Each structure stands twice: as structure tokens, then as C-alpha cells.
Amino acid sequence: DELDDDDEVLRMFKQFELSAEAEDTTRFEDTFEGVLRQLSEPCSILRMGTHIQLVLRILLNRSADYLSIIEMYRVAITHCQELLHSDTYSSKDLVIARVSGAKRELESLHRRVEPFVEHAIPQLHHVPGYPESDDLSDRVCRHYKFDMINNFRQFLQECRTQVKLCDSLLAEYNRRAADKMNNVLNFLTVFTFLIVPIQILTGLYGMNFEHMPELEWRYGYHFFFLLAASATGLFFLILLCIQRATPAK
């Protein structure tokens, strides 16, 4: 099951990495050639109406493509969130790396689309020939614009939501990693504190003095371990007192 989850994550992120790469490599000439191919088709819908309607149809199709891309990101990030919250899944480092990459790509898409929505679309009202009458073709044209604006706004809103979700997942993962590290350090600190008495006694009896009565005593060996155990127990009681005196956070 874990291998299947790994393959699923890689497949999802591979898909929208290819989508982002295609978005990066898309030139105006390629888009224009695609429009010309559609215009050359028989009964093409792009051949109907004015040039303003043609532009609005192209923008509407483009906005629908962005919605498809953000939906793919949403599904993949949601799946990654489930894997990160799973106790049986072990390859969480791979998943969090993919989430970090998805965040960067979403921020890049948001930076591209937001200036167009905020500055370019409002300028359509000032284009010569913009439909303002109540004719059927003009109403359809305004409907295209309304749907296009809604699609772009939905894309920007969903993009910001997914970026915040990625930030939340990254912060939660870092917090869990920090808690795990703190638990290890706390254990090592307590262990070091408890063996301090043995280290002190070992250093004391390891000194090369000429006269050390305990070394010649018949029960010196037993006395050493009894003294070490007593000192360790005393340090343990001190540790408990410190822990109880420390207010809980």
C-alpha cells in the first residue's frame, strides 16, 4: 500500500509539473497558431461574431484551463495531506518536498494571473467595439466576460487557499520534527544528569593516590556500587522535584 501511495504521489505531481512546464514554454506564437488552427476548422465557433467576441472566447477557454490546473493541484495536495497525517506512511520527507514544490509553482501561477485580472480585464471596457447594446450577440459577449472573470477570480482564490494549505502542512511538519528532536534531547539530558554521580565517583577512585583505603577494603567494590546507586537515586529525586516545580506549558 505504501508503494502504491508513493507511485500515486509521484504520478500526480508529475502531471502538474508537466502542466507547469507546458505553461512556462507556452509562447504567444504557439497560442496564436492554435487559434488559427481552430479558425481553419469547419463550423468553428471562433469564426462566429466580432473580434471582441473572439478575444473573450479565447480568454474564457484559457480561464477554464487554469481552473482545471488548480483542481489538479488541489486533489494532489489533499492526497499529500492524508499521507502526512497517516501513522503508517514512512516516506513523508518525499511528500513534504513535493508540497514545497507545489507551493512555489502555485505562487508563480498566482503572480502571473493576478496582474492580468487586476489591470488588463478592466481595460476591456475601453476597447473600441466593446459590446454595450442589448442585442443577442452582445449579451452573449458580456456573458463570456462574466464567466471569464468568475473563473479567474475563482482560480486566484483557490490558488491562495492551496498556498495557505501548503504553508500549514510545512509548518506542521516542521513542528513535529522539532518536537521529535526535543524529545530526543530531553531524554539525553535526563540520562546524562542521572549518570553524573557515577562519573564523579569513577573519576574520584580513578586517581592515582598512594593511600586509598577503599581500594584495600574487602567490601570496597560493593561499597562503590552502593554509593553510586544511592547518589543516582538522590539525583533522580532532585530531577523529580525540579519537574514538579516547573509549571506546565
Side-chain angles (χ1 to χ4, degrees):
D1 294 337
E2 186 170 324
L3 292 177
D4 293 339
D5 291 334
D6 288 339
D7 294 338
E8 184 69 16
V9 172
L10 291 175
R11 184 183 65 81
M12 287 184 176
F13 279 95
K14 187 64 175 177
Q15 285 181 354
F16 61 66
E17 282 175 359
L18 292 175
S19 299
E21 182 179 355
E23 191 72 24
D24 292 336
T25 57
T26 299
R27 301 175 302 168
F28 173 77
E29 292 80 3
D30 298 331
T31 304
F32 187 71
E33 289 178 1
V35 173
L36 292 180
R37 285 194 298 270
Q38 296 183 35
L39 289 173
S40 63
E41 296 177 357
C43 302
S44 174
I45 192 174
L46 294 181
R47 297 168 62 183
M48 301 173 57
T50 64
H51 64 286
I52 297 295
Q53 294 174 349
L54 174 61
V55 171
L56 291 178
R57 288 195 193 100
I58 295 174
L59 292 177
L60 179 59
N61 293 336
R62 192 65 169 172
S63 65
D65 293 338
Y66 276 109
L67 285 181
S68 300
I69 292 174
I70 197 63
E71 177 64 18
M72 185 166 55
Y73 273 95
R74 187 191 66 81
V75 173
I77 293 174
T78 301
H79 184 66
C80 291
Q81 183 180 16
E82 295 175 354
L83 293 179
L84 290 174
H85 292 163
S86 176
D87 296 332
T88 59
Y89 188 75
S90 59
S91 302
K92 294 184 179 180
D93 292 339
L94 173 63
V95 177
I96 206 67
R98 297 293 182 177
V99 172
S100 179
K103 176 192 170 184
R104 291 192 300 270
E105 293 169 4
L106 287 172
E107 290 174 339
S108 176
L109 287 174
H110 189 275
R111 286 194 299 268
R112 295 180 189 177
V113 177
E114 186 177 25
F116 174 78
V117 176
E118 296 295 333
H119 303 288
I121 291 181
Q123 299 301 321
L124 291 176
H125 292 285
H126 306 290
V127 175
Y130 185 81
E132 296 180 354
S133 64
D134 291 333
D135 294 341
L136 178 61
S137 60
D138 292 346
R139 291 201 302 268
V140 171
C141 191
R142 289 193 293 270
H143 179 71
Y144 285 159
K145 179 188 175 185
F146 179 78
D147 289 343
M148 175 196 63
I149 293 176
N150 284 340
N151 288 346
F152 277 122
R153 288 178 177 174
Q154 182 181 352
F155 167 79
L156 292 176
Q157 181 179 2
E158 186 65 23
C159 191
R160 288 189 290 265
T161 301
Q162 295 305 315
V163 169
K164 291 181 180 179
L165 178 58
C166 291
D167 287 332
S168 176
L169 293 176
L170 292 172
E172 182 180 359
Y173 180 81
N174 292 332
R175 184 175 61 253
R176 289 185 178 182
D179 292 341
K180 185 183 297 184
M181 180 62 66
N182 290 334
N183 291 334
V184 174
L185 293 178
N186 289 336
F187 173 78
L188 293 177
T189 302
V190 171
F191 180 76
T192 303
F193 181 78
L194 292 178
I195 65 173
V196 165
I198 300 178
Q199 291 177 335
I200 294 175
L201 293 175
T202 302
L204 179 63
Y205 286 107
M207 294 185 294
N208 296 322
F209 288 122
E210 183 176 355
H211 298 288
M212 296 188 70
E214 291 85 357
L215 297 180
E216 299 177 358
W217 187 25
R218 178 180 179 182
Y219 299 102
Y221 181 78
H222 305 84
F223 172 76
F224 171 80
F225 281 102
L226 178 62
L227 183 61
S230 301
T232 302
L234 177 62
F235 273 55
F236 181 74
L237 293 177
I238 294 174
L239 184 63
L240 288 179
C241 293
I242 293 175
Q243 184 177 5
R244 291 181 179 180
T246 303
K249 294 182 180 181

